[in-house]
Amino acid sequence: MIFVAGMIGWNADGEFAEGFVAQLAQVLENTVAVLREAGATPADIVRMTWFVKDLDGYRNNLHRVGEVYKNIIGKNFPTMSVIGVNDLVESQALLEIETTAVLQSPV
């Protein structure tokens, strides 16, 4: 099992992407990079918990959220929860996602 702690929408230089959808893309790219380092792929994801500061930003962009998700994660739709929160540790972060992946045993 691989547990990816809360990822936020900043790049390797610590710069945040502008807007909810751009931060989501960065969060997902960061998550995939961590999974790759552990020998996993997005297909191994079994659970995601999204902590969202701007639920309207999420709701108002559902089509774009879906497009970004499919472009980065693919057609894997694990169990997900979206939780509205008042704040996150990094004040510029609009969302944070925790991920659990399970590597399949070789047959």
Side-chain angles (χ1 to χ4, degrees), residues 58-77:
Y58 172 80
R59 290 183 194 113
N60 294 335
N61 290 290
L62 283 177
H63 181 73
R64 291 182 60 215
V65 164
E67 288 176 348
V68 166
Y69 181 90
K70 285 183 215 169
N71 286 339
I72 298 169
I73 301 298
K75 292 188 178 187
N76 179 23
F77 301 102

Side-chain angles (χ1 to χ4, degrees), residues 2 11 13-14 20 22 32-33 37 41 51 57 60 71 82 107:
I2 300 163
N11 63 22
D13 296 324
F20 184 84
V32 169
E37 287 293 319
T41 70
F51 301 95
N60 294 335
N71 286 339
V82 176
V107 179

Side-chain angles (χ1 to χ4, degrees), residues 1 42-48 76 78-80 99-102 104:
M1 294 183 79
D44 297 311
I45 297 171
V46 296
R47 183 193 63 82
M48 298 178 96
N76 179 23
T79 301
M80 288 188 215
T99 302
T100 303
V102 176
Q104 302 302 313

